[in-house]
Structures are given as C-alpha cells and as structure tokens.
Amino acid sequence: MTLTAYVNARLIDPKSKMDIPGSLLINGSLIAALGENIDIPESAEIIDCKGKVLSPGFIDMRAFSVDWEAAAAGGITTVILQPDQTTLIDNDAAVERIRARAKERATVNVIPMGTATKAMDGQEITEIGQMLESGAVAFTDCRKPVEDAQILKRLMEYASYYDALIVQFAEEQSLKADGIAHDGGIASRLGLTGIPSIAEQIQIERDARLAEHTNSRLHVALVSSREGVEAVREAKARGVKITCSIAPHYLHLNEHALEGYPTFAKVSPPFRTEEDRLALLAALADGTVDTIVSDHDPKNPDLKRLPFGQAASGVSGYETLLPLSLKPVQEGTMSLLDLIAKLTSGPASLLKLDSGHLSIGAQADLTIFDPEQPWIIKRNQLKASATNTPFDTLPVNGKVWKTIVAGHEIYSA
Amino acid sequence: MRAEVPPPSGSYFPHSHLLGIWDLDPIEIKYLLDRADAYADQNRSSQKKTDKLAGRTQINLFFENSTRTLMSFEMAGKRLGLDTISMSTSNSSIKKGETLLDTAATLNAMHPDALVVRHADSGAVRLLSREMNCPVLNAGDGRAEHPTQALLDALTIRRRKGHIHGLTVAISGDVTHSRVARSNIYLLNAMGAKVRLVAPPTLIPTDAESLGVEVYHTMEDGLKGADVVIMLRLQQERMQGAFLPSLREYYKYWGLTREKLQVASDDVLVMHPGPMNRGVEIASDIADDLEKSAIREQVEMGVAVRMACLDILISGREDPEAHLYKGEGT
C-alpha cells in the first residue's frame, strides 16, 4: 500500500473539535494516523504542508453540475448533486446510474439527492425508500418548493419513517410570481419585478409547522433574508427538526449588485438588502445556519447574454466557495474551526454520511488550504464548465492547495 | 433633491448613448433641453427640415408595439435629414430565435449612425448598446426608463412655467409599471422639483421613498398645491393579478376630474404621456382643457426633444467640439 504523510500541517477537524499543528498519514485510501507526533514510516512519501490547514474534504450539499475539475479546485471532495439533471433523478435506477458513473471516474464523490415528487410536479411523492437504498441522501424539488400543504405533509410523514431529509426551496410561489429581483428600492429603481422577503419567510414558517406536526427533518435549501433566518431560528427554538444552508455569495453581495443589470448577479433567491446580508453573517456565526453550499450552477454564456429578465439565474460557485465563505473568519466573528464545520461535519451529519471528519480508518477525503493566501478571482482562469461569477477581479484571501479523495490527490495548485 | 448646479463652460456632453435619465447630470439635462427648445421653435416655423445629419442612417428597432413614439422618432430623424428605417418584432429575426445581441451585431455591421430601441425587458437597451458602435437611444425599456418622454415632459413644463426648480409635481397612476414615471422622477429630482407619487398602494413601487419622492394614496392630499400633475396610463397589459378591483373604482378615487384638481395650484398644468384612457385615468373635460392641459404640447415637444438627442449624440460623436457647453447658467 502507498503511504503518504502530510506533515507540518494545521489539522482541523470540527467533529472532534481538533485544531492542532501536526501530521496525517494515509495508507492507501484510508487515514492511518494523525496527530501532533505520529510515527511516519521511512517508506512514506512526505509532503510538507508548510503550516497550511488540513481539514476534512468539503461536502457541497447543493450543486447542479458535477463539474469535477472545478469541484476539486474548490476543495470539494463530495458533491451532492441536485436531482434536476437532464434526466431527472426521481427513481432508484437514476440514483444508481449517477453513483456508478461517479465511481468509474474516481474523482470527487458524487452522491445525488432524489426528487421529492415525481417529475417535480408537486403532485405525487417519489419512491423515497428505494432511492435511499440506492444511495440518495435527501429529497428535494430543487428550485421550487412542494407547494401543496397536503402533499408536503404526506411527504414528510412518509419520509419520517425513514428519517429521510426533505429539502425545500423557500419561496412561496404565488408571492414570487414573475419576480426576478429582491422587492426593494433597487428593483423599484431599475424597473425589475420584485420577490418580497416574506415569500421566503412564509414558506419556511409553513413548512416548519408541518415538520413539527410530522416530526420529520426539514432542510431549507438556501436562506437569503433576515426574515428567513428568523423563521429558522424561531422554529429551532421550538424544537423543530429544521436546518438550513446559505451560499457564500449572499455573504458578499446585496441588491446593489444588480445596478447595470449584470446577469451574472442574477441568482435565485435574489440578492437582498444590506440588512439581510448582515443577518446572514450573524446567523452563520450564531449557529442558526448549519451548512454552506456552493449552489454551483454553471450556465452556458448564451443563457446569460440576454436581457436581465430573460437570462438564467445561477452562479459558478465551486472555486469561490472557500474564499467567499471565509468572510466571517476574516472579520473575526467566527473561528476557522466553526466555519469549516459548515463545509464538512455539518452536511455529513445532516446527510448521514460517513465522511466529513478526520479519524483513523476513515476514507482519506481531505482539503488542504491556506486561509490567508491572497489571490484575485479571474473568470478566465476558472476550471468550471461555465464561469458565470459576479466576482470576477475580486481580490480574496483563502486558496485551496490540494484536494485528496480516497488517498488520491485530485487537485494540486 | 439634488442641488442646482451651474454648468461649467468648456465641457462636452460625455455620453455615447441615451439609455436613461439616471445616467445624466443636471447640466446635461439642461443642455439637452436647451437644444430641444431651439428645435421646438424651428418646428413651429415653415423651415422645419434641415440637412444637418443628411446621409446618416437612423434605425428604429421596436420590440414592443408603439405608434406615437415610433412616429415621433421617425419625424425627428427626417427633420434632421437622416434616412430612417423602422423595424418591429413582427418582421425581425427575433421570432426565428435570434438573440438580442445577435440582432445588435447584425445591425452594427450595417453601420447605422443611430439606433432607437424599445424593448419589453428592463435593461435590454443598455445590454444592446454595449454591442453597438453608434449611439443607442432608449425609446422605452420594460419598466425601467423612457428618457425622451421625461425630457419632453420637462421641456413642456419649462416652456409653460419658465422653470422646473422648486415646482411641486404630482405623478399619479400606475407608477409600479411605468418607465415614464421612473425617468420623470429622476429628471424632476435632478432639476430640483419636488416629486409626489399618488396612487393606490398596489401601484406604488416598493420602497418608493428611496427614489426621492413623497408618497400619497389620496388625490386630495397628493394634489394639494401641486404645480404640475402628470397622469399615467394604467398599464393593464403589464398587470398580473389583482392590482385593482375595477376601473370604475379606480376612476372614482384616482381618476383626474375637475373636482379633484381644485386642491392643486390655480395655474396647475395637467399632463399625460398618452395614449389616454378617458374616463379611467382622466376626465375628458380636463384632458381637452387647453388652458390646463399640455397633453398636445407634450407630443409636439417630443419631436423637438428627439431631434436634440439625435443631433447631440450623432454630431457629438463625429465632432465633440460641436457640443461644447457654453456655460450660460441654468
């Protein structure tokens, strides 16, 4: 077996609350040893991390494309694929096909979510049991919520039998209507139809009541507003089994990003006010937010080179996930350990994955990064299949150095 | 409300396109209005046509139906000697799947000297302008802007009232869906007028106060002491859902009648961008009252404003010296 020792690293493992200088030894695909002073066999290949952080590989709970090279460059070792692929992932065969294809490639781990309803039409619940057995880890209708309360209630009742996670997109559809921007002063000025924050709040509050009633696990796919955060916080305080994600672009941009109608800033839910942005940062720091997701949604340039109203929404998020997520650490409101938990142990726990931690015998899925390395995001240097980022030319800190999956280095800067 | 700023002498009109009033400074607005004023006088003379821009080509590209604005731009171009060509979506390649930017690239290859565009999407004209080597004039984009309408409204007000600064202007009607309202708000604010919006809550944009206006929901309060009342067309084609219970109820509470107008200033000026829904937004006896209503004059000023915009953008591009501010004060 191949032995590789990553030495002179800052070992961070949120699950065990470890943040120490040390080394980690990989034997084949598994972690063989880790700690401040471990015995490293002479036959091991030594890699000097020069003080960089070595953490569990990132688990990205919301990605619309495998785009493995970009994922690897972003430090992501497990992609949780959204089910609205060219062929919908709404049955066990589709789940198995995705998993088999990912194994053939031997790059990042790819695990799908299944749809919550058949054809994502919100009418009939899917075969949750069989999809779970085939390897699906949660169930969602992706960009739209299950609207019908009766169907959602039954979906939750059924899912609770398996303790399966239901992921809802929090946007009450009749309030969203034909909205494309946050319903506020900027949309009013630019003449764009607005989506009010209460569309998010109302959906979360209703869904939380149903989760409470059915004693089931509910995850809010993306929170974008102060009201949404408060709805999650209140439901958690009541003991509801509710969790939520945010994407890091919402930590950086607000509705002003729409000035000049740049379609790269068209996202769903939309960028909201500065107050909302600050509320998201606070919710991340106080633990209301459970995971950070890339929301990686590469869009063909043809779908973005259109008038704002007609352009597709979505950002290319893998490669900017780490530097954008580090914002609260850089601002001193969160420890690096707590932040990395949102990218590793947090999603692993929600999805019941046996990964997202550093321990002997675990699969060696690792991300090594320098949290302070400055670099400039340049669209044309990204590896993603489409580079629709609103952060082109933004100077950031925090860069992935190496990404390792099952002991294999799949990315090196 | 922005402060009144005297124009510096010796600076040029710096814009390649006319995409929105938001982009313009008060001195630039004043410059456009001054040029339009001269064209308005010329249009009243027997010598309406000049050959100032002869040999140049103006394309009017309308992705939305329009009669008044299209005709106004055509007439403006012709009076400057431009060769004008008008296209509407019904005979364009857009229906065959071509994107807006493909269309822009195609038109650009034909070397027009000005492109006038109307489009149903906010920001679409701005997007298109990035692909064009000639001046692009926004003839209305979605709910965003209709800059020449705001300029012609301002010119009408200025000619009637002698000034804009210090006036109280009430804009009443479907503000939410109105690009005319947005451009007017930016322009009137820039020129130092006090702007009020008067409409039921469903027709007032979210956080409208951030646009620099006062919001009223009753005509009695909103029109009190107003020097100018700009009525807006109810854009029923843009309304999805329940914005209003009925046109009958709308007219009762927000339609402009002589009775409601009594609280306004004695010499109030009534305006409407047209086409009017008589008996819905405005009573006929007000619309046709030539003393109070400037609605026909607005149409007249439209041609002059569009001539000024075409002239400044086209000849300014060819010879920047042609549009040097003289600095005569506001």
Side-chain angles (χ1 to χ4, degrees), chain A residues 313-355:
Chain A
S313 54
V315 297
S316 176
Y318 282 153
E319 291 155 274
T320 54
L321 175 64
L322 175 72
L324 297 182
S325 296
L326 286 170
K327 189 174 183 67
V329 176
Q330 288 153 357
E331 289 177 349
T333 57
M334 265 185 101
S335 71
L336 185 59
L337 184 77
D338 289 341
L339 192 277
I340 295 303
K342 310 295 180 191
L343 291 163
T344 57
S345 56
S349 160
L350 281 177
L351 302 169
K352 300 183 184 175
L353 296 175
D354 184 24
S355 58

Side-chain angles (χ1 to χ4, degrees), chain B residues 167-232:
Chain B
L167 293 178
T168 297
V169 182
I171 300 175
S172 175
D174 182 5
V175 181
T176 294
H177 299 94
S178 176
R179 52 196 173 210
V180 173
R182 280 173 182 77
S183 285
N184 266 322
I185 290 167
Y186 310 147
L187 188 151
L188 293 166
N189 262 329
M191 301 307 281
K194 190 167 152 188
V195 184
R196 298 176 183 171
L197 302 182
V198 193
T202 47
L203 299 182
I204 295 284
T206 304
D207 206 7
E209 288 84 355
S210 67
L211 304 178
V213 298
E214 290 175 356
V215 175
Y216 295 87
H217 297 307
T218 67
M219 294 291 265
E220 193 181 12
D221 294 338
L223 266 47
K224 193 176 281 177
D227 301 297
V228 180
V229 177
I230 301 177
M231 298 304 296
L232 300 173

Side-chain angles (χ1 to χ4, degrees), chain A residues 276-394:
Chain A
D276 291 308
R277 188 185 72 84
L278 295 174
L280 294 181
L281 276 164
L284 186 58
D286 73 17
T288 304
V289 171
D290 302 89
T291 68
I292 302 177
V293 297
S294 75
D295 200 27
H296 182 70
D297 197 2
K299 282 284 175 2
N300 184 306
D302 291 343
L303 298 174
K304 285 285 189 182
R305 290 182 80 242
L306 291 169
F308 193 87
Q310 297 173 23
S313 54
V315 297
S316 176
Y318 282 153
E319 291 155 274
T320 54
L321 175 64
L322 175 72
L324 297 182
S325 296
L326 286 170
K327 189 174 183 67
V329 176
Q330 288 153 357
E331 289 177 349
T333 57
M334 265 185 101
S335 71
L336 185 59
L337 184 77
D338 289 341
L339 192 277
I340 295 303
K342 310 295 180 191
L343 291 163
T344 57
S345 56
S349 160
L350 281 177
L351 302 169
K352 300 183 184 175
L353 296 175
D354 184 24
S355 58
H357 56 94
L358 300 181
S359 47
I360 292 166
Q363 178 165 297
D365 290 351
L366 311 170
T367 302
I368 307 175
F369 62 93
D370 181 343
E372 265 141 46
Q373 186 180 335
W375 62 291
I376 293 173
I377 297 170
K378 288 184 181 159
R379 269 191 65 208
N380 58 11
Q381 290 177 5
L382 298 180
K383 296 177 188 301
S385 54
T387 54
N388 42 296
T389 175
F391 297 105
D392 189 29
T393 73
L394 181 77

Side-chain angles (χ1 to χ4, degrees), chain A residues 116-320:
Chain A
T117 65
K118 288 175 187 168
M120 296 202 303
D121 63 3
Q123 299 300 310
E124 293 177 68
I125 66 173
T126 46
E127 295 166 338
I128 285 175
Q130 294 192 74
M131 282 199 279
L132 273 175
E133 206 174 305
S134 298
V137 286
F139 301 90
T140 182
D141 279 355
C142 293
R143 294 174 171 91
K144 58 180 183 179
V146 177
E147 283 184 73
D148 187 305
Q150 180 70 279
I151 290 167
L152 183 63
K153 174 174 166 286
R154 288 187 183 140
L155 173 71
M156 286 175 160
E157 282 169 344
Y158 191 78
S160 68
Y161 169 73
Y162 295 100
D163 196 31
L165 186 69
I166 299 299
V167 181
Q168 275 277 77
F169 190 64
E171 198 168 65
E172 206 284 329
Q173 296 297 285
S174 64
L175 282 169
K176 182 206 174 190
D178 56 351
I180 49 176
H182 171 65
D183 190 27
I186 298 297
S188 291
R189 194 179 78 60
L190 295 173
L192 300 173
T193 317
I195 306 170
S197 298
I198 51 164
E200 182 167 296
Q201 181 184 25
I202 286 171
Q203 187 77 45
I204 293 173
E205 287 178 350
R206 184 201 76 160
D207 293 355
R209 290 288 171 190
L210 287 169
E212 190 173 18
H213 178 73
T214 56
N215 192 30
S216 63
R217 292 199 296 138
L218 169 69
H219 184 78
V220 182
L222 277 177
V223 184
S224 68
S225 67
R226 177 182 58 79
E227 290 89 340
V229 161
E230 283 171 6
V232 172
R233 196 178 280 131
E234 282 168 18
K236 280 188 170 183
R238 279 207 316 276
V240 181
K241 291 192 271 188
I242 186 172
T243 50
C244 69
S245 295
I246 59 163
H249 35 276
Y250 296 96
L251 301 177
H252 289 257
L253 296 178
N254 61 27
E255 57 185 341
H256 288 273
L258 270 49
E259 293 281 2
Y261 307 93
T263 54
F264 283 180
K266 186 173 180 184
V267 291
S268 174
F271 290 125
R272 299 197 184 273
T273 66
E274 180 62 6
E275 184 193 11
D276 291 308
R277 188 185 72 84
L278 295 174
L280 294 181
L281 276 164
L284 186 58
D286 73 17
T288 304
V289 171
D290 302 89
T291 68
I292 302 177
V293 297
S294 75
D295 200 27
H296 182 70
D297 197 2
K299 282 284 175 2
N300 184 306
D302 291 343
L303 298 174
K304 285 285 189 182
R305 290 182 80 242
L306 291 169
F308 193 87
Q310 297 173 23
S313 54
V315 297
S316 176
Y318 282 153
E319 291 155 274
T320 54

